[in-house]
Amino acid sequence: MILLLHTLIQATVGLMFIFYPQAGDLIPGFGTSEGQSFELLMKMYGLASLFLAGLSLYAYLKRTSDTLFLFLTLSLSIYHYLMILVQTIYNPDQRAALLHFLLAIFLTGQYLGRRKASWTDDPAARK
């Protein structure tokens, strides 16, 4: 379920950044910047956000594959932990860091839940 929520959040932010020029006013930390460089930054961040939405949707659709699920949830978790670091250091508005923190915690929970299940399996069955 968290992967679907992650997909929804990332896709919404990505589409807003690509198609809605004033999206920076709605997203914490972007402020009222303007100009070609800012528009380029918004579009690049939008594409990155859509890519992450695609990864989380793919992880959800392939959730029966332990290897793929574990790799994607760990990768998304690491991304969000790094975004927490960047948002905490460079963004005076901490709401974005809080959102990344929540997503990182929930994705890490998904990862650890699946990982724990694989630890309790019969080792002979994994060969």
Side-chain angles (χ1 to χ4, degrees):
M1 186 61 147
I2 187 62
L3 287 169
L4 290 178
L5 178 64
H6 184 265
T7 301
L8 180 65
I9 291 170
Q10 292 290 353
T12 302
V13 169
L15 291 172
M16 279 179 38
F17 277 13
I18 290 174
F19 296 112
Y20 183 60
Q22 289 81 26
D25 297 339
L26 303 173
I27 307 295
F30 279 88
T32 57
S33 298
E34 53 188 44
Q36 287 183 329
S37 295
F38 180 69
E39 194 172 317
L40 175 64
L41 176 69
M42 296 279 288
K43 297 208 183 294
M44 289 189 315
Y45 190 85
L47 285 175
S49 190
L50 285 176
F51 179 75
L52 293 172
L55 284 180
S56 60
L57 181 62
Y58 187 68
Y60 177 77
L61 295 174
K62 298 293 185 178
R63 64 189 176 276
T64 56
S65 169
D66 282 344
T67 305
L68 188 61
F69 184 86
L70 290 171
F71 175 73
L72 289 175
T73 53
L74 180 63
S75 298
L76 291 169
S77 296
I78 290 170
Y79 166 79
H80 285 292
Y81 285 119
L82 293 174
M83 284 300 290
I84 293 166
L85 182 66
V86 169
Q87 294 287 340
T88 302
I89 294 171
Y90 296 107
N91 190 349
D93 189 337
Q94 295 302 306
R95 290 178 291 175
L98 178 62
L99 177 62
H100 285 285
F101 175 76
L102 292 173
L103 290 171
I105 292 299
F106 288 131
L107 286 166
T108 301
Q110 290 265 294
Y111 172 80
L112 292 175
R114 179 69 66 92
R115 193 75 183 135
K116 182 181 176 188
S118 71
W119 290 334
T120 59
D121 285 346
D122 180 24
R126 282 187 261 152
K127 290 183 179 181

